[in-house]
Amino acid sequence: MTSADAFTGSAGHNDVFQGPAGCSNAALIKTLTGKILCWNPAAELLFGYAASEAVGAYVRMLLPAGLREEENRLLERAGRGEKVRHYETRRLTRDGRLLDVDVSLWPIREPDGAIHAACTVIRDITSRKRADAKIDELAVVVESSQDAILIKTLDGQVTFWNGAAPRLYGYAVGEMVGRHIGLLIPPDLKDEEAELLERVGHGERIEHYETHRAAADGRVLDIDVTLWPIRDRSGVITGVCSTMRDMTERKRAEQQLTALHAQQQHVALALHLMGASKQIPSARAATRYLPSTQGQGVGGDWLDLIDLGAGRAGVIIGDVMGRGFEAAVVMGQLRSAARALALAGLCPYELMRTLDVFTRGLPEQFVTCTYLEADPARGEMTVCSAGHLPTFLIGPGASVEALPVPTGIPLGVGGVPHEQVSLPLRAGTTLALCTDGLVETPHHFDVRLEHLATALGEAFTDTQDLEMAADRTLQALLPDTTDYADDVSLLLVSFPTAPLAAVTAQLRGEAASVPTGRRFLAEHLHRWHLAPLADSALLLASELMTNAVCHAPGPLAVELWYSARELGVEVTGRSTPRPCARLADVNEESGRGLLLVEALADAWGTHPTADGKTVWFTLLLPPHQEATAPEAEAGIAPHPA
């Protein structure tokens, strides 16, 4: 009986072959034709076939399609007496699963040396193959990563250095593996690296830590570092894995962007100019401007307080829709244009009409604006709005009301004329103007305006200090807020006192009225103890009255007033063309009057009236001039021709 015959017959003969005690590998004996003679318990567990099912069957039941020729070649090699060790292939289980296996087989010889069978040991390496595949994938990821990846011991010795690390630092693998990580650390960061290793040694994962590292050529790089601990199977931390990303270019770009943003913000804030922060003689003002904390931090709000001369003041506030540098540039253009138009003497309606045409040619074509011309001497103000928020008036006793001004349409829309209204202006009155950033809310806009009115009343209840009132108003509307989605602008303007004295004379439009007007002025200048100003005042007034008589049909009015700061003379007639100083020819006998006015007056100008214009000049009072007036002449009084 041959050795192969010893394993044939009943299944009980399989008990002779059970493999080594406790063997976890499948073991089987098969003939050189593939017939299974013996099948150990580990084979039952691995493939799912009981020994009674496997013994006597052919090994092809374990072979995936396409591998039968491979199996025949292995049996042929065994038949030639060759031992095959650790041949990796695949096998099928009873339930159809495909296993990665390690196969070793060797021939079984008869006493005469003949080979009729082979013994095969099969080890399941499916899990190992999967792990190897993952390792291979990870290796590809690690080596193809754009980030430098390195592994180091807890004391800082580098044990792994991927392909991106030499590109970043300039050190080849052989130059760094086995070296201390301190080679990459700038001298002033040695303690920082030791602290990082200590933290990771305690199990901490550190993500996106920004620091500096030194390259081989001496450059100092901005680096984003992520570190995490490496543990062995028992959980003990044995090393540190680090990924390092070069942030140098990004940091440089961020710095350039920050510098550009700061430059734009500086330019935009310079464009804003905050004209109302500068006080003017006829009014007191307090302004607050809070730039947006979003985007570029600047926007299209502007406000201005303009000395129009002759005791009058121009107040303007506007808002260019949108935010950013572009809105700020448009705002700067509009503010400059509005100031120039106001100083040129345009009434609020004309100023708004001109700004509307001007705005249509700008990139941001939706602008709201309010312009107010205050004349405390006459106790009146003229207001025009282009779609802007209401102007609030705070009167004595902290009463608050919105001025009855038609809202109008925003600038740049066109097609609908803006309306101006004249309203009374009492001494001691304060006006409050703001942009929508102060009251902006997704819902209940009217409620926020009511809240603003209430806040203004409470702010002025026990103080007339504009700065304190402005702070209180902001605190009430924007409590504990540091984040502003839009610019916030607030302007408080008050007109504390009227001129100390003011008188008016109505004169006929004839040459004889000029000396009459001179006597009227001389009389009151003497009565007011302003004789030092009499020569200049009478000379300039004569020029203005002569021009009015020569160029304006009908009567004229001469008004004289003075305040604690200056003396003012105004001549009103029915001529509409604006006066213009010019250089007269040497042979001309006239044409030099306005040049004389410009040379001697501290300020002069013109503004339109309902049926003509007013030309005015002012002279500053001498230092230490007594600024009091007789009670009987306080206010505006008519004077007969």
Side-chain angles (χ1 to χ4, degrees):
M1 184 176 66
T2 66
S3 298
D5 292 336
F7 295 101
T8 59
S10 67
H13 292 145
N14 190 61
D15 296 337
V16 177
F17 181 75
Q18 295 297 320
C23 180
S24 61
N25 296 329
L28 57 102
I29 295 176
K30 54 193 173 184
T31 67
L32 295 181
T33 60
K35 184 178 181 179
I36 298 172
L37 303 176
C38 291
W39 187 259
N40 79 336
E44 293 184 7
L45 293 174
L46 180 59
F47 294 108
Y49 294 102
S52 59
E53 296 175 289
V55 173
Y58 282 85
V59 74
R60 59 176 172 266
M61 68 180 182
L62 306 178
L63 301 177
L67 294 182
R68 292 182 181 178
E69 286 301 320
E70 176 188 88
E71 176 68 13
N72 291 337
R73 287 194 297 270
L74 291 175
L75 289 173
E76 287 176 4
R77 291 170 65 183
R80 294 195 297 266
E82 184 180 345
K83 292 182 180 181
V84 180
R85 298 182 184 276
H86 304 301
Y87 184 90
E88 293 187 4
T89 184
R90 289 184 171 182
R91 293 293 183 262
L92 280 172
T93 64
R94 183 173 187 171
D95 58 8
R97 288 180 297 114
L98 189 63
L99 304 178
D100 289 292
V101 294
D102 176 291
V103 176
S104 294
L105 72 160
W106 58 93
I108 299 175
R109 295 180 182 272
E110 300 293 338
D112 60 1
I115 300 172
H116 298 287
C119 182
T120 303
V121 175
I122 302 173
R123 180 162 59 94
D124 183 10
I125 61 171
T126 305
S127 297
R128 196 205 75 188
K129 278 289 190 180
R130 290 175 181 170
D132 288 346
K134 290 182 179 179
I135 291 173
D136 290 341
E137 291 175 3
L138 180 60
V140 171
V141 171
V142 168
E143 288 303 323
S144 63
S145 172
Q146 297 301 307
D147 296 336
I149 300 176
L150 59 94
I151 296 175
K152 52 195 172 186
T153 62
L154 290 176
D155 60 0
Q157 298 298 319
V158 177
T159 60
F160 176 79
W161 188 253
N162 80 329
R167 295 194 296 270
L168 177 59
Y169 292 111
Y171 293 104
V173 175
E175 294 178 289
M176 277 306 300
V177 172
R179 301 284 295 277
H180 194 274
I181 192 67
L183 186 63
L184 308 179
I185 310 300
D188 59 333
L189 295 179
K190 301 291 185 183
D191 292 341
E192 177 190 85
E193 175 66 14
E195 180 185 347
L196 291 174
L197 289 174
E198 182 179 357
R199 289 169 59 185
V200 177
H202 287 105
E204 183 179 349
R205 180 185 176 96
I206 302 172
E207 297 195 28
H208 302 300
Y209 185 89
E210 294 189 3
T211 184
H212 296 98
R213 291 291 181 264
D217 59 6
R219 289 176 299 120
V220 176
L221 308 176
D222 290 289
I223 299 294
D224 178 290
V225 181
T226 294
L227 311 96
W228 64 93
I230 298 174
R231 301 176 186 269
D232 61 17
R233 296 194 178 192
S234 62
V236 176
I237 298 173
T238 58
V240 179
C241 186
S242 302
T243 63
M244 299 181 178
R245 178 170 297 176
D246 185 6
M247 308 290 287
T248 307
E249 291 302 322
R250 197 199 79 178
K251 284 286 187 180
R252 185 178 294 114
E254 287 178 350
Q255 291 172 356
Q256 292 174 346
L257 186 61
T258 299
L260 179 61
H261 174 75
Q263 183 182 31
Q264 288 184 342
Q265 188 175 43
H266 176 75
V267 172
L269 291 176
L271 287 171
H272 196 280
L273 291 176
M274 295 301 292
S277 61
K278 183 178 180 180
Q279 304 297 331
I280 65 175
S282 55
R284 292 187 298 112
T287 65
R288 295 294 182 270
Y289 174 66
L290 304 176
S292 169
T293 56
Q294 301 179 10
Q296 296 177 341
V298 292
D301 286 12
W302 92 91
L303 43 85
D304 206 352
L305 188 62
I306 307 166
D307 184 6
L308 299 178
R312 297 175 300 116
V315 182
I316 191 165
I317 189 166
D319 186 2
V320 179
M321 296 298 110
R323 290 192 290 273
F325 189 63
E326 294 78 7
V329 170
V330 171
M331 170 272 296
Q333 292 178 283
L334 286 170
R335 182 187 179 278
S336 298
R339 171 173 273 268
L341 294 171
L343 291 173
L346 270 68
C347 67
Y349 162 72
E350 291 179 327
L351 182 143
M352 208 66 75
R353 181 180 61 183
T354 307
L355 280 184
D356 181 63
V357 175
F358 180 75
T359 303
R360 295 179 211 173
L362 298 177
E364 298 285 344
Q365 295 187 359
F366 196 79
V367 181
T368 65
C369 180
T370 291
Y371 177 57
L372 181 150
E373 186 179 295
D375 191 341
R378 290 178 173 79
E380 67 179 16
M381 57 183 164
T382 306
V383 192
C384 188
S385 173
H388 203 73
L389 298 177
T391 298
F392 289 95
L393 183 146
I394 302 98
S399 61
V400 180
E401 62 177 316
L403 295 183
V405 179
T407 302
I409 62 172
L411 300 176
V413 176
V416 180
H418 297 91
E419 300 180 59
Q420 70 178 30
V421 294
S422 294
L423 302 169
L425 177 66
R426 292 179 293 174
T429 292
T430 299
L431 300 175
L433 303 91
C434 69
T435 56
D436 58 7
L438 185 61
V439 295
E440 197 167 40
T441 181
H443 307 289
H444 309 300
F445 190 74
D446 291 342
V447 174
R448 289 287 288 175
L449 287 176
E450 292 176 4
H451 188 189
L452 172 59
T454 301
L456 288 168
E458 293 174 350
F460 282 92
T461 297
D462 57 358
T463 183
Q464 292 300 310
D465 184 275
L466 297 185
E467 298 292 339
M468 184 179 297
D471 289 336
R472 289 180 178 179
T473 303
L474 283 182
Q475 179 61 30
L477 270 295
L478 303 170
D480 303 321
T481 298
T482 57
D483 185 22
Y484 306 101
D486 194 4
D487 289 19
V488 176
S489 295
L490 173 66
L491 170 61
L492 302 179
V493 187
S494 68
F495 308 93
T497 58
L500 296 173
V503 291
T504 302
Q506 301 294 335
L507 305 174
R508 297 186 181 92
E510 56 188 31
S513 294
V514 175
T516 303
R518 286 173 56 86
R519 288 193 298 272
F520 166 74
L521 295 176
E523 175 186 337
H524 286 87
L525 289 174
H526 176 75
R527 187 174 302 175
W528 294 345
H529 308 291
L530 296 177
L533 297 177
D535 289 344
S536 295
L538 292 174
L539 176 60
L540 299 181
S542 296
E543 290 295 335
L544 298 188
M545 288 187 290
T546 300
N547 283 343
V549 169
C550 293
H551 302 291
L556 62 146
V558 178
E559 181 179 346
L560 177 68
W561 56 266
Y562 85 100
S563 66
R565 176 178 179 270
E566 61 191 352
L567 168 72
V569 176
E570 303 181 23
V571 177
T572 302
R574 293 183 179 178
S575 173
T576 55
R578 300 180 186 278
C580 179
R582 66 182 181 88
L583 294 175
D585 188 85
V586 293
N587 296 320
E588 290 185 83
E589 296 181 359
S590 61
R592 300 173 181 81
L594 289 180
L595 288 177
L596 187 64
V597 173
E598 189 164 320
L600 296 180
D602 290 297
W604 78 279
T606 180
H607 60 87
T609 62
D611 55 358
K613 67 175 182 293
T614 296
V615 184
W616 56 268
F617 69 85
T618 58
L619 297 170
L620 293 177
L621 269 61
H624 313 298
Q625 172 70 44
E626 183 180 356
T628 57
E631 288 186 18
E633 294 192 2
I636 298 177
H639 190 281

